[in-house]
Amino acid sequence: MVVRSRFTRNIARWLTATACVMAAAPGANAEPVVAQELPPTIPSIKQWISGGTGFTLGSDARIVADAASRGPAQRLAEDLTGIGKPVSVTGTGARAGDIVLVQTGDAPEPAESYRISSTDRLTISARDLPGIAHGTQTALQWLRQSGTIPGGSAQDWPDYAERGLMLDTGREFFPADWVKARIRDAAHLRMNMVQLHLSDSQGFRLDSRVHPEITSPLHYTAADIADILDYADSYGIEIVPEIDMPSHMNAILAQHQDLVLRPAHTSSADAQRDNLIAGGVGGKIDLTNPAAYQLISDILHEFVPMFRGRYWHLGCDEYISDYSRYPQLSEYATRVIGPDAAPGDVIVAFANWAADIVESFGRTPRAWNDGFDQAVTIAPKTEVVMQYWSSSAGGLPWLPGGRTPAELTAAGHPILNAAFTPAYFVTGGPAAALNAPPELLYAWDPGLFVNGSRLPDADRRLLRGSMLFLWCDDPEVMTPEQIVDPLRARLRVMAQQLWGGTGGVSYPEFVFRANAVGWP
């Protein structure tokens, strides 16, 4: 039996192999064969072909892994041992009852795809390390529910290249072990990316030796970061660091008041708006001051090399919505950028300058989309991956006024759908009232942007995927422990949406399956 669907329909409540009755041979007793059930997974697997005798985890089982797959093998061994199914890791001599990991290096299959063959041994093969890691998580989900897996083979692959979780540890500090636990949650759901929002109005969370004055009391040491990166690597998770600039810099600018951008005039309404956006006036660095660029250059040169992934997130959101309050930016634009430049070009010039630094370390820059909406004469570098969260130029995120997703992809930008609704989960503050329940996230799909638009077919290749975004606008409302359950409820929905879609399965049925799968 071959099953091919986005949310494999034969895994209904349990995917059940067709029951059959053995024909009795002459002189033999005829006994029925009990049908074997393939446990569900979250996200569901794309393809299952049943057949053969099946796999039973041996009492002295081992994980046999080549050197390239040793990290995921060790993590799987720890997870199985933790649920009372002890296994060891070895490099050779697979036998019945073992789990075998084989990294093939083959290129034709999609990145992160994997295969599982269930016979007298459970063999997980993939072209790359992320595929191996995903395969181990599918196997773990199965084996947590049953020590016996029916005979057959699975083939699985994701719909989207980027499937992740963002943690706002800039506002609410999360201990390193808590961050690692959320990396574990993401890996369990075959996600591949965790973005760390490392600075904001409440804190700068890295230990700076070049500028120790900007480091908050609660922060990650270099050893913490190395430990987080090693842990993420072993699960096939890529860490995307973000130090938000040139706005949301309150913690950095607390000891650099001479670099704060200050309006020429203000009112009570302006002050209220500033307090809601980007953490107040004190959160914006003055891009007309040469010393601002030196400080930012120091920070980038210190911390970009600390992280080993492909990306560095520059921020670039919520800088200025009303440039009339900052005439110094208009003067700077025409004097430095060009006579026809607008003040909105200043942040684009900044982003391109910062992107050059990031690229000098072999990293690809990322940014929030809204900071570039009011540019006139220059455009951000096309290499910048745009995380599209808002369609307005400084207003509510779902209102018009800013550049559309299609305009950005037409210019060549890869784009990630960071739709304010429903991809955000905000722990406190006014935006928390707009949190989408998991049911609404389940009804969404990652191709639908916050303004209700979709990319034209020709540009769909530029849509990287999405994330679940955890924001802590008021860090006092929820403790890290209180955040876990509502975050997990949404994370498993986002994982299913990004891996293969929901395929018409009802949300209550999805929850039933998710509860059967549980958490490691």
Side-chain angles (χ1 to χ4, degrees), residues 63-87:
I63 300 174
V64 182
D66 52 28
S69 303
R70 189 55 63 95
Q74 191 60 50
R75 292 301 181 192
L76 179 59
E78 293 169 0
D79 288 330
L80 288 172
T81 301
I83 59 173
K85 299 179 179 180
V87 296

Side-chain angles (χ1 to χ4, degrees), residues 219-296:
H219 63 269
Y220 305 111
T221 65
D224 290 332
I225 294 299
D227 182 42
I228 289 170
L229 294 176
D230 288 343
Y231 186 81
D233 284 348
S234 69
Y235 279 116
I237 296 288
E238 182 173 12
I239 299 298
V240 178
E242 178 191 358
I243 295 178
D244 206 348
M245 305 170 172
S247 194
H248 295 272
M249 293 183 66
N250 308 61
I252 295 173
L253 294 174
Q255 300 301 319
H256 292 274
Q257 288 294 300
D258 57 315
L259 300 183
V260 172
L261 178 68
R262 303 186 187 280
H265 57 84
T266 189
S267 66
S268 58
D270 292 332
Q272 184 178 18
R273 179 175 58 187
D274 284 335
N275 285 331
L276 288 173
I277 298 175
V281 172
K284 302 175 179 67
I285 199 167
D286 185 356
L287 292 178
T288 72
N289 189 332
Y293 294 86
Q294 185 59 57
L295 175 62
I296 290 173

Side-chain angles (χ1 to χ4, degrees), residues 38-54:
L38 183 67
T41 64
I42 301 296
S44 61
I45 60 174
K46 290 279 186 65
Q47 182 186 109
W48 171 256
I49 303 174
S50 65
T53 57

Side-chain angles (χ1 to χ4, degrees), residues 434-491:
L434 300 172
N435 283 339
E439 297 92 328
L440 181 58
L441 182 59
Y442 193 76
W444 174 73
D445 79 76
L448 184 65
F449 288 88
V450 68
N451 64 347
S453 73
R454 296 179 183 274
L455 293 179
D457 291 344
D459 288 346
R460 278 296 303 272
R461 61 185 174 79
L462 291 169
L463 178 56
R464 307 299 293 269
S466 187
M467 295 183 182
L468 180 68
F469 296 87
L470 171 66
W471 293 107
C472 305
D473 292 7
D474 185 343
E476 304 299 323
V477 173
M478 298 178 73
T479 66
E481 292 73 23
Q482 290 170 330
I483 289 170
V484 172
D485 284 346
L487 190 69
R488 280 178 159 183
R490 291 162 172 83
L491 189 64

Side-chain angles (χ1 to χ4, degrees), residues 29 36 40 65 239 289 322 351 387 438 514:
N29 293 325
Q36 290 180 303
I239 299 298
N289 189 332
D322 181 3
Q387 295 195 180

